[in-house]
């Protein structure tokens, strides 16, 4: 018995020593740096720090209790301990701009490692340095080639018309699902050349939904968990995409029938990317074109339901554009450019709804800014939503008011819905284009209202918990 007690004590001491070692490993650097002028703040609990409070759900068109409390106590820039790392959190316009503009020089992208496990190391969302530049240059080239092509614009409009036609005899729809259906069909056609009826489309969608659920789950790689299923789903999607790539390379179809007509066809001719990078590029395109675009659609539709004057002006604009065209004539790039109030509505939904609340960065060296220092190796979180909702930067900041964009600069330090600097989303224009074309037909065919308690929430990713139910009434 004495021997058992001895070994029990040894095991217990060893365990406590390990825990103490982990705690010191995380917190000792913090105390050693305490003499340096780092921002004020608190580190919270050992290991988890203040992460749970930071991620606590709240309305996406508000800062949430954590940021409100910390900004009132410590100012717009404060220190914390988030995502297992000492962190500087910035709700300051100038510092956010400084961070985003110094990507690769003073700061670099630094998403939590579990995100890498799902997205893959070659994903443009987590890649840094030369890999990111190569992927981004390809993305910008593809967007530039694609955005005004009649085939692409027609695909968007045809898909929108089909979705809305399916609502004809419905009294209500779950709009988040309808928006995702729309954006997935558009992006899978543009990236891989697949139609909704293609069996591969169904296979990719099923795996992609599993992939998305795991992306926002607890990162535990245990068989059966959403995270583990997501990693396997990504592997299956990669295999499907590789098979499509190989089929394209070996097929003997007429070269003029699809040559250059979708992302994949152009991507195959790019020599600067490896095979894995091309597959990751396709997955990134699907992710961006599916989730963020559909969420932007949902935010626009939600805010319009609560702003009758904006909805009416939007309807007048689109009726005017339609009156200039033949009955069955498709929209074109020039029509899109004429949708001036539509652009204001979209920008205001981005500002007020905040699809991206913050981005992950890490200091590459000690960075001095104003009268404080950001230590090398610390995580840095520029809070984009804090700038969008700052009443000192935007009059009536907590109100949906598209008309503010008649005088406000859209490309400024005060508005960064798609990030900033060299990591600004290259597909942002395509997202706006899809939303604008969908709205063109929506506002001319339907009126809608939402449930009283429905609102966009940050969990931390923005979503409508009830799916944004729309109660429909036909305009005809």
């Amino acid at each position: 018995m004495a021997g058992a007690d001895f070994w029990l004590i040894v095991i217990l001491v060893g365990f406590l020593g390990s825990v103490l070692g982990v705690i010191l490993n995380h917190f000792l650097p913090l105390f050693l740096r305490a003499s340096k002028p780092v921002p004020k703040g608190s580190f919270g609990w050992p290991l988890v720090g203040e992460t749970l409070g930071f991620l606590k759900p709240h309305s996406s068109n508000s800062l949430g209790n954590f940021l409100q409390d910390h900004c009132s106590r410590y100012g717009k820039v404060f220190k914390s301990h988030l995502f297992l790392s000492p962190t500087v959190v910035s709700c300051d316009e100038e510092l956010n701009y400084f961070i985003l503009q110094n990507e690769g020089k003073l700061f670099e992208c630094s998403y939590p490692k579990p995100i890498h496990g799902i997205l893959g190391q070659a994903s443009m969302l987590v890649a840094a340095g030369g890999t990111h530049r190569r992927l981004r240059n390809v993305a910008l080239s593809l967007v530039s080639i694609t955005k005004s092509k009649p085939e692409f614009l027609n695909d968007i409009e045809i898909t929108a018309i089909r979705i809305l036609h399916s609502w004809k005899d419905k009294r209500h729809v779950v709009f988040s699902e309808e928006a995702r259906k729309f954006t997935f069909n558009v992006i899978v056609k543009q990236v891989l050349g697949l139609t909704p009826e293609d069996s591969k489309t169904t296979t990719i969608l099923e795996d992609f939904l599993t992939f998305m659920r795991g992306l926002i789950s607890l990162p535990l790689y245990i068989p059966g968990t959403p995270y583990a299923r997501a990693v396997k789903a990504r592997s299956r999607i990669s295999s499907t995409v590789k098979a499509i790539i190989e089929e394209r390379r070996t097929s003997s179809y007429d070269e003029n029938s699809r040559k250059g007509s979708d992302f994949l066809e152009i991507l195959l001719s790019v020599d600067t990317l490896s095979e894995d990078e091309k597959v990751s590029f396709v997955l990134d395109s699907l992710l961006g074109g599916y989730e963020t675009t559909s969420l932007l659609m949902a935010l626009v539709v939600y805010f319009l339901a609560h702003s009758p004057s904006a909805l009416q002006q939007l309807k007048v604009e689109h009726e005017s554009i339609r009156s200039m065209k033949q009955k069955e004539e498709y929209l074109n790039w020039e029509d899109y450019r004429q949708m001036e109030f539509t652009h204001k509505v979209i920008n205001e939904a981005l500002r007020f709804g905040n699809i991206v609340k913050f981005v992950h960065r890490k200091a590459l060296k000690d960075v001095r800014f104003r009268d404080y220092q950001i230590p090398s190796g610390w995580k840095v979180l520029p809070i984009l939503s804090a700038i969008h909702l700052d009443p000192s930067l935007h009059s009536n900041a907590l109100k949906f008011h598209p008309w503010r964009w008649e005088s406000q600069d859209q490309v400024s330090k005060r508005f960064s819905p798609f990030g900033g600097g060299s990591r600004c989303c290259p597909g942002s224009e395509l997202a706006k284009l899809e939303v604008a074309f969908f709205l063109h037909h929506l506002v001319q065919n339907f009126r809608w209202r939402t449930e009283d308690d429905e609102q966009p929430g940050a969990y931390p990713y923005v979503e409508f918990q009830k799916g944004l139910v729309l109660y429909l009434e036909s305009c005809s």
Side-chain angles (χ1 to χ4, degrees), residues 58 64 91 178 214 232 299 330 358 386 392 465:
H58 60 88
C91 296
E178 298 294 301
K232 292 182 179 179
L299 288 171
Y330 290 127
F358 63 94
S392 69
Q465 281 204 303

Side-chain angles (χ1 to χ4, degrees), residues 33-103:
R33 291 187 182 274
S35 61
K36 296 187 177 183
V38 297
K40 297 178 182 179
S42 62
F43 294 128
W45 294 93
L47 298 184
V48 296
E50 299 185 304
T51 306
L52 297 180
F54 179 77
L55 295 177
K56 188 175 181 179
H58 60 88
S59 172
S60 75
N61 51 354
S62 74
L63 281 183
N65 291 334
F66 180 89
L67 290 178
Q68 287 177 340
D69 174 68
H70 281 62
C71 285
S72 65
R73 292 168 62 187
Y74 308 118
K76 290 185 177 180
V77 180
F78 57 89
K79 68 182 178 183
S80 182
H81 199 270
L82 303 172
F83 305 104
L84 302 180
S85 175
T87 303
V88 169
V89 179
S90 171
C91 296
D92 180 86
E93 172 193 12
E94 294 294 335
L95 179 53
N96 282 9
Y97 185 77
F98 178 76
I99 294 167
L100 296 175
Q101 293 301 316
N102 280 281
E103 170 71 27

Side-chain angles (χ1 to χ4, degrees), residues 9-24:
I9 291 172
V10 169
I11 293 171
L12 181 60
V13 169
F15 173 74
L16 292 175
S18 299
V19 172
L20 180 61
V22 172
I23 292 173
L24 289 176

Side-chain angles (χ1 to χ4, degrees), residues 319-336:
E319 286 176 342
S320 174
I321 291 172
R322 179 50 57 185
S323 69
M324 303 289 289
K325 306 182 77 64
Q326 298 294 325
K327 185 177 180 180
E328 302 298 329
E329 188 179 357
Y330 290 127
L331 295 169
N332 56 41
W333 181 251
E334 190 57 37
D335 295 324
Y336 172 67

